[in-house]
């Protein structure tokens, strides 16, 4: 038969010409491909988000749909508002502080540093020392002549010896002599072997070998339990007096340099300055130390506080014998939650960062860069005058020791003669120069202060997830449904665009339309144009093809 012949079967219809194959293939593509609008409607009807299915269902009237739209947008607005509030709260990096007490079976004993308030011993001065340092001691004019006003203040016991040393008429300094401040302070400062009369730790005898030398603003100082010079770190097993460090010292007031005038460094006190600190932190004794006077036995009961932050001490030297360290503990997290410093210190002098180490290191570098010299003690006025140069951040971790002091008179009238005989001194000398320092833990516990992040990503997700379930009935799986919907739309709009662009728009045929060609073939077969023979259940063939 001219034209195409259709072979009819109960399962398939097989066209016999290229035009008829193209028509059937186009019909199948049209039947399978759906638009993004249809995808959206289908998503809205099957989604678990409360309210959307009622907006697009044909079972609801128009007023009901409007009410559901309003309700849905109100809930979405509340969800977005609350979620944005939680995000802003997270971006503010909030933190909370936790304080709790920790009990221990034993605790490391802290480092104890003390310095005599007098820097130089008068009896140890030499002619070379006075030649190079007499002007700074207010004993000489710049031309090496003696200040008569200063000599008038000297004690008679020191005057004759100093006068002989201050005679530079035929004197010339050694050619190979180079002034060294550290060597001078080490030689002229009070020697621990002469100051330390008795020493006990936890009832056991200790000696000067248990102390290490350190230099501060007060010159030559000494640290007990520093962990240096081969001495192991000591621990204590219980609190209370007798379970810590007990030392008896002779401050040697007869060796004190006279006060010739008032300067920034003038000291009117007699006694020692003490600081209790951790082994990782260098002493800053002129700023953080407390004074111990001769003629008293001073009991120092302390408790350890471990914190990330700084403890601010408010203390005056004129406070009464009983005093409590006043301060407040703060714990900091590194940025952006806080402003503490968590990175190691960049210093050639210290390995562990602390405010004390930072200040000493900064002032040392300042002197080296501007004066090409390095003093034993670093002056504080550098920090005051150049705050931009010396900026020390609060460390994130530090250990502080809160202390409580009490004092009793020593010697008593009953013990004055015994002590004078024991140390071969007069009773007046014992009362003016002898002091006892007793340092011990109040109890084997310490206060730990920790700062934690108050709000993190997990909390944000929990809050947003709870609000999603409350307002729109959504969950994580609902979010996956939305991504699946977006993928379908993307596939239809983007991928479908490129697929249709590659596919030819028309099949190769004559000017007759595909449907007209099929109709002509059905007419030539003598069948009803709209129905196939013996296949009434297949429906309209033109619908199927076109």
């Amino acid at each position: 038969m001219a034209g195409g012949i259709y072979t009819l079967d109960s399962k398939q219809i097989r066209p016999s010409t290229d035009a008829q194959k193209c028509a059937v293939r186009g019909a199948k593509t049209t039947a399978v491909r759906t638009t993004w609008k249809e995808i959206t409607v289908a998503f809205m009807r099957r989604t678990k988000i409360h309210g959307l299915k009622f907006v697009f269902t044909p079972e609801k009237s128009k007023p009901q749909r409007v009410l559901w739209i309003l309700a849905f947008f109100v809930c979405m607005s509340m969800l977005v508002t609350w979620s944005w509030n939680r995000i802003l709260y997270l971006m503010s990096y909030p933190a909370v502080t936790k304080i709790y007490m920790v009990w221990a079976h034993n605790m490391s004993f802290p480092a104890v540093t003390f310095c005599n308030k007098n820097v130089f011993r008068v009896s140890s001065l030499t002619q070379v020392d006075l030649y190079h340092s007499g002007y700074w001691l207010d004993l000489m004019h710049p031309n090496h002549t003696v200040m008569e006003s200063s000599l008038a203040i000297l004690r008679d016991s020191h005057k004759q010896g100093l006068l002989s040393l201050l005679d530079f008429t035929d004197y010339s300094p050694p050619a190979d002599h180079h002034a060294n401040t550290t060597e001078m302070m080490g030689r002229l400062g009070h020697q621990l072997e002469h100051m330390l009369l008795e020493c006990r730790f936890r009832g056991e005898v200790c000696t000067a070998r248990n102390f290490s030398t350190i230099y501060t603003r007060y010159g030559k100082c000494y640290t007990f339990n520093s962990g240096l010079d081969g001495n192991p770190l000591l621990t204590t097993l219980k609190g209370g007096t007798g379970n810590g460090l007990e030392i008896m010292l002779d401050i040697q007031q007869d060796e004190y340099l006279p006060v010739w005038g008032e300067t920034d460094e003038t000291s009117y006190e007699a006694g020692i300055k003490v600081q209790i600190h951790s082994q990782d932190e260098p002493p800053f004794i002129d700023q953080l130390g407390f004074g111990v006077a001769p003629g008293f036995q001073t009991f120092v009961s302390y408790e350890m506080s471990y914190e990330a932050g700084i403890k601010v001490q408010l203390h005056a030297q004129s406070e009464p014998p009983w005093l409590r360290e006043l301060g407040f503990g703060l714990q900091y997290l590194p940025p952006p939650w806080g402003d503490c410093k968590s990175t190691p210190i960049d210093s050639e002098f210290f390995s562990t960062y602390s405010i004390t180490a930072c200040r000493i290191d900064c002032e040392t570098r300042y002197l080296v860069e501007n004066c090409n010299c390095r003093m034993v003690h670093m002056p504080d006025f550098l920090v005051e005058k150049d705050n931009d140069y010396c900026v020390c951040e609060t460390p994130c971790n530090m250990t502080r020791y809160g202390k409580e002091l009490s004092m009793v008179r020593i010697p008593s009238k009953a013990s004055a003669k015994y002590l004078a005989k024991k140390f071969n001194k007069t009773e007046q000398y014992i009362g003016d120069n002898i002091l006892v320092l007793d340092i011990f833990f109040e109890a084997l516990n310490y206060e730990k202060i920790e700062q934690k992040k108050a709000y993190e990503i997990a909390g944000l997700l929990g809050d947003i997830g709870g609000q999603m379930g409350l307002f729109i009935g959504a969950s994580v799986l609902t979010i996956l449904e939305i991504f699946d919907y977006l993928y379908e739309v993307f596939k239809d709009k983007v991928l479908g665009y490129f697929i249709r662009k590659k596919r030819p728009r028309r099949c190769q045929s004559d000017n007759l339309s595909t449907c007209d060609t099929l109709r002509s073939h059905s007419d030539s077969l003598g069948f009803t144009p709209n129905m196939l023979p013996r296949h009434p259940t297949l429906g309209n063939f033109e619908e199927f093809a076109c």
Side-chain angles (χ1 to χ4, degrees), residues 3 50-52 61 131 221 257 305 332 345 357 384 458 474 483 537 545:
H50 294 175
L52 283 182
S61 62
Y131 184 85
C221 302
L257 279 176
S305 174
Y332 298 100
I345 184 173
E384 297 174 3
F483 281 114
T537 56

PDB file of all heavy atoms in Angstrom, residues 3 50-52 61 131 221 257 305 332 345 357 384 458 474 483 537 545:
ATOM      1  N   GLY A   3       2.227   4.716   1.003  1.00  0.00           N
ATOM      2  CA  GLY A   3       2.207   5.317   2.347  1.00  0.00           C
ATOM      3  C   GLY A   3       2.680   4.311   3.355  1.00  0.00           C
ATOM      4  O   GLY A   3       3.082   3.203   3.042  1.00  0.00           O
ATOM      5  N   HIS A  50       4.095  22.488  57.149  1.00  0.00           N
ATOM      6  CA  HIS A  50       2.690  22.706  57.465  1.00  0.00           C
ATOM      7  C   HIS A  50       2.147  23.928  56.740  1.00  0.00           C
ATOM      8  O   HIS A  50       2.783  24.970  56.717  1.00  0.00           O
ATOM      9  CB  HIS A  50       2.510  22.893  58.976  1.00  0.00           C
ATOM     10  CG  HIS A  50       2.823  21.647  59.748  1.00  0.00           C
ATOM     11  ND1 HIS A  50       2.827  21.595  61.113  1.00  0.00           N
ATOM     12  CD2 HIS A  50       3.162  20.392  59.332  1.00  0.00           C
ATOM     13  CE1 HIS A  50       3.140  20.373  61.506  1.00  0.00           C
ATOM     14  NE2 HIS A  50       3.364  19.633  60.437  1.00  0.00           N
ATOM     15  N   GLY A  51       0.964  23.795  56.160  1.00  0.00           N
ATOM     16  CA  GLY A  51       0.286  24.938  55.565  1.00  0.00           C
ATOM     17  C   GLY A  51       0.377  25.009  54.062  1.00  0.00           C
ATOM     18  O   GLY A  51      -0.577  25.416  53.398  1.00  0.00           O
ATOM     19  N   LEU A  52       1.511  24.633  53.479  1.00  0.00           N
ATOM     20  CA  LEU A  52       1.675  24.771  52.033  1.00  0.00           C
ATOM     21  C   LEU A  52       0.719  23.863  51.265  1.00  0.00           C
ATOM     22  O   LEU A  52       0.182  24.248  50.230  1.00  0.00           O
ATOM     23  CB  LEU A  52       3.128  24.458  51.647  1.00  0.00           C
ATOM     24  CG  LEU A  52       4.161  25.543  51.932  1.00  0.00           C
ATOM     25  CD1 LEU A  52       5.532  25.115  51.450  1.00  0.00           C
ATOM     26  CD2 LEU A  52       3.754  26.850  51.263  1.00  0.00           C
ATOM     27  N   SER A  61     -11.494  26.121  49.623  1.00  0.00           N
ATOM     28  CA  SER A  61     -12.052  27.287  48.926  1.00  0.00           C
ATOM     29  C   SER A  61     -11.029  28.410  48.893  1.00  0.00           C
ATOM     30  O   SER A  61     -10.014  28.372  49.589  1.00  0.00           O
ATOM     31  CB  SER A  61     -13.327  27.751  49.632  1.00  0.00           C
ATOM     32  OG  SER A  61     -13.017  28.158  50.963  1.00  0.00           O
ATOM     33  N   TYR A 131      84.284  55.585  92.545  1.00  0.00           N
ATOM     34  CA  TYR A 131      84.759  56.412  91.441  1.00  0.00           C
ATOM     35  C   TYR A 131      83.750  56.404  90.289  1.00  0.00           C
ATOM     36  O   TYR A 131      83.495  57.434  89.664  1.00  0.00           O
ATOM     37  CB  TYR A 131      86.121  55.906  90.972  1.00  0.00           C
ATOM     38  CG  TYR A 131      86.731  56.755  89.887  1.00  0.00           C
ATOM     39  CD1 TYR A 131      87.479  57.894  90.197  1.00  0.00           C
ATOM     40  CD2 TYR A 131      86.578  56.411  88.539  1.00  0.00           C
ATOM     41  CE1 TYR A 131      88.040  58.678  89.199  1.00  0.00           C
ATOM     42  CE2 TYR A 131      87.130  57.178  87.532  1.00  0.00           C
ATOM     43  CZ  TYR A 131      87.854  58.314  87.873  1.00  0.00           C
ATOM     44  OH  TYR A 131      88.398  59.101  86.884  1.00  0.00           O
ATOM     45  N   CYS A 221      68.159  39.540  94.710  1.00  0.00           N
ATOM     46  CA  CYS A 221      67.065  38.915  95.454  1.00  0.00           C
ATOM     47  C   CYS A 221      67.237  37.403  95.393  1.00  0.00           C
ATOM     48  O   CYS A 221      68.071  36.873  94.653  1.00  0.00           O
ATOM     49  CB  CYS A 221      65.720  39.328  94.867  1.00  0.00           C
ATOM     50  SG  CYS A 221      65.429  41.109  94.853  1.00  0.00           S
ATOM     51  N   LEU A 257      72.475  52.011 103.126  1.00  0.00           N
ATOM     52  CA  LEU A 257      72.999  53.292 102.647  1.00  0.00           C
ATOM     53  C   LEU A 257      72.168  54.434 103.227  1.00  0.00           C
ATOM     54  O   LEU A 257      70.934  54.344 103.280  1.00  0.00           O
ATOM     55  CB  LEU A 257      72.940  53.362 101.122  1.00  0.00           C
ATOM     56  CG  LEU A 257      74.058  52.676 100.345  1.00  0.00           C
ATOM     57  CD1 LEU A 257      73.767  52.771  98.853  1.00  0.00           C
ATOM     58  CD2 LEU A 257      75.404  53.311 100.653  1.00  0.00           C
ATOM     59  N   SER A 305      44.558  30.194  93.237  1.00  0.00           N
ATOM     60  CA  SER A 305      43.443  30.427  92.333  1.00  0.00           C
ATOM     61  C   SER A 305      43.962  30.273  90.921  1.00  0.00           C
ATOM     62  O   SER A 305      44.855  31.014  90.495  1.00  0.00           O
ATOM     63  CB  SER A 305      42.848  31.824  92.546  1.00  0.00           C
ATOM     64  OG  SER A 305      41.858  32.093  91.590  1.00  0.00           O
ATOM     65  N   TYR A 332      39.516  34.743  80.805  1.00  0.00           N
ATOM     66  CA  TYR A 332      39.319  35.202  79.439  1.00  0.00           C
ATOM     67  C   TYR A 332      39.507  34.055  78.461  1.00  0.00           C
ATOM     68  O   TYR A 332      40.306  33.149  78.681  1.00  0.00           O
ATOM     69  CB  TYR A 332      40.300  36.327  79.096  1.00  0.00           C
ATOM     70  CG  TYR A 332      40.142  37.561  79.941  1.00  0.00           C
ATOM     71  CD1 TYR A 332      40.993  37.792  81.013  1.00  0.00           C
ATOM     72  CD2 TYR A 332      39.137  38.487  79.676  1.00  0.00           C
ATOM     73  CE1 TYR A 332      40.852  38.924  81.789  1.00  0.00           C
ATOM     74  CE2 TYR A 332      38.995  39.615  80.446  1.00  0.00           C
ATOM     75  CZ  TYR A 332      39.859  39.837  81.499  1.00  0.00           C
ATOM     76  OH  TYR A 332      39.719  40.944  82.276  1.00  0.00           O
ATOM     77  N   ILE A 345      55.046  33.644  74.084  1.00  0.00           N
ATOM     78  CA  ILE A 345      55.717  34.941  74.059  1.00  0.00           C
ATOM     79  C   ILE A 345      56.915  34.893  73.117  1.00  0.00           C
ATOM     80  O   ILE A 345      57.652  33.902  73.072  1.00  0.00           O
ATOM     81  CB  ILE A 345      56.150  35.347  75.492  1.00  0.00           C
ATOM     82  CG1 ILE A 345      56.761  36.747  75.485  1.00  0.00           C
ATOM     83  CG2 ILE A 345      57.092  34.317  76.088  1.00  0.00           C
ATOM     84  CD1 ILE A 345      57.048  37.286  76.860  1.00  0.00           C
ATOM     85  N   ALA A 357      56.320  38.966  82.541  1.00  0.00           N
ATOM     86  CA  ALA A 357      57.350  38.675  81.544  1.00  0.00           C
ATOM     87  C   ALA A 357      57.265  39.634  80.365  1.00  0.00           C
ATOM     88  O   ALA A 357      58.291  40.085  79.841  1.00  0.00           O
ATOM     89  CB  ALA A 357      57.207  37.228  81.069  1.00  0.00           C
ATOM     90  N   GLU A 384      54.854  54.035  81.344  1.00  0.00           N
ATOM     91  CA  GLU A 384      53.963  55.183  81.506  1.00  0.00           C
ATOM     92  C   GLU A 384      54.138  56.200  80.380  1.00  0.00           C
ATOM     93  O   GLU A 384      53.176  56.811  79.939  1.00  0.00           O
ATOM     94  CB  GLU A 384      54.228  55.851  82.852  1.00  0.00           C
ATOM     95  CG  GLU A 384      53.931  54.931  84.043  1.00  0.00           C
ATOM     96  CD  GLU A 384      54.350  55.561  85.353  1.00  0.00           C
ATOM     97  OE1 GLU A 384      54.809  56.717  85.312  1.00  0.00           O
ATOM     98  OE2 GLU A 384      54.219  54.909  86.393  1.00  0.00           O
ATOM     99  N   ALA A 458      26.321  24.295  67.670  1.00  0.00           N
ATOM    100  CA  ALA A 458      25.350  23.267  68.038  1.00  0.00           C
ATOM    101  C   ALA A 458      24.112  23.894  68.674  1.00  0.00           C
ATOM    102  O   ALA A 458      22.971  23.493  68.395  1.00  0.00           O
ATOM    103  CB  ALA A 458      25.991  22.274  69.004  1.00  0.00           C
ATOM    104  N   ALA A 474       8.837  21.873  60.162  1.00  0.00           N
ATOM    105  CA  ALA A 474       9.892  21.391  59.280  1.00  0.00           C
ATOM    106  C   ALA A 474      11.000  20.735  60.096  1.00  0.00           C
ATOM    107  O   ALA A 474      11.091  20.897  61.309  1.00  0.00           O
ATOM    108  CB  ALA A 474      10.459  22.535  58.451  1.00  0.00           C
ATOM    109  N   PHE A 483      15.901  20.819  48.795  1.00  0.00           N
ATOM    110  CA  PHE A 483      17.022  20.663  47.866  1.00  0.00           C
ATOM    111  C   PHE A 483      16.636  19.755  46.692  1.00  0.00           C
ATOM    112  O   PHE A 483      17.063  19.987  45.552  1.00  0.00           O
ATOM    113  CB  PHE A 483      18.242  20.092  48.607  1.00  0.00           C
ATOM    114  CG  PHE A 483      18.999  21.110  49.396  1.00  0.00           C
ATOM    115  CD1 PHE A 483      19.046  21.055  50.779  1.00  0.00           C
ATOM    116  CD2 PHE A 483      19.668  22.146  48.761  1.00  0.00           C
ATOM    117  CE1 PHE A 483      19.740  21.991  51.508  1.00  0.00           C
ATOM    118  CE2 PHE A 483      20.365  23.100  49.484  1.00  0.00           C
ATOM    119  CZ  PHE A 483      20.395  23.020  50.868  1.00  0.00           C
ATOM    120  N   THR A 537      -9.932   0.408  24.116  1.00  0.00           N
ATOM    121  CA  THR A 537      -9.387   0.832  25.409  1.00  0.00           C
ATOM    122  C   THR A 537      -8.181   1.739  25.277  1.00  0.00           C
ATOM    123  O   THR A 537      -7.757   2.354  26.234  1.00  0.00           O
ATOM    124  CB  THR A 537      -8.968  -0.399  26.216  1.00  0.00           C
ATOM    125  OG1 THR A 537      -8.029  -1.162  25.448  1.00  0.00           O
ATOM    126  CG2 THR A 537     -10.172  -1.270  26.537  1.00  0.00           C
ATOM    127  N   ALA A 545      -0.813  10.567  19.849  1.00  0.00           N
ATOM    128  CA  ALA A 545       0.292  10.998  18.998  1.00  0.00           C
ATOM    129  C   ALA A 545       0.546  12.480  19.086  1.00  0.00           C
ATOM    130  O   ALA A 545       1.682  12.921  19.015  1.00  0.00           O
ATOM    131  CB  ALA A 545       0.004  10.599  17.546  1.00  0.00           C
TER     132      ALA A 545
END
